[in-house]
């Protein structure tokens, strides 16, 4: 799923910026102990692609949620409420 208004940038001699960020739930090869969210984007130049990925481990979700609440508490509450309503709980097998 493409993020709507977020962006990534690089502060370096080869500064770059993109707002074409794909995000998805991700299960790494190590299995459920390392599941999380992955963000993928290209920070390359017109001459050369540089594909990058960032994995947010599920152990960091609470910290990320805290940052979201500090940035905008009402928007964070609304976002979590909408997400929880859309996603039905998975029954353990």
């Amino acid at each position: 799923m493409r993020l709507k208004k977020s962006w990534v940038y690089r502060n370096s001699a080869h500064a770059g910026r993109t707002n074409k960020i794909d995000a998805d739930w991700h299960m790494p090869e190590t299995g459920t102990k390392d599941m999380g969210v992955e963000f993928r984007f290209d920070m390359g130049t017109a001459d050369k692609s540089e594909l990058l990925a960032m994995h947010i481990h599920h152990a960091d979700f609470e910290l990320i949620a805290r940052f979201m609440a500090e940035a905008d508490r009402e928007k964070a509450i609304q976002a979590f409420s909408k997400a929880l309503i859309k996603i039905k709980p998975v029954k353990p097998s």
Side-chain angles (χ1 to χ4, degrees), residues 46-88:
D47 298 327
K48 184 178 179 184
S49 181
E50 183 183 353
L51 300 175
L52 300 171
M54 179 176 139
H55 181 80
I56 307 285
H57 191 277
H58 66 98
D60 293 321
F61 286 2
E62 181 182 346
L63 182 59
I64 302 282
R66 189 177 320 149
F67 290 150
M68 291 170 62
E70 287 174 5
D72 190 326
R73 181 179 173 81
E74 291 305 312
K75 287 284 185 187
I77 290 169
Q78 290 171 11
F80 280 107
S81 297
K82 286 178 184 178
L84 291 171
I85 289 168
K86 283 186 177 181
I87 305 297
K88 302 228 186 279

Side-chain angles (χ1 to χ4, degrees), residues 3-9 16-21 43:
L3 298 184
K4 295 177 184 176
K5 292 196 170 202
S6 299
W7 69 88
V8 293
Y9 61 91
R17 178 181 164 127
T18 185
N19 61 356
K20 295 177 181 173
I21 305 168
M43 287 298 294

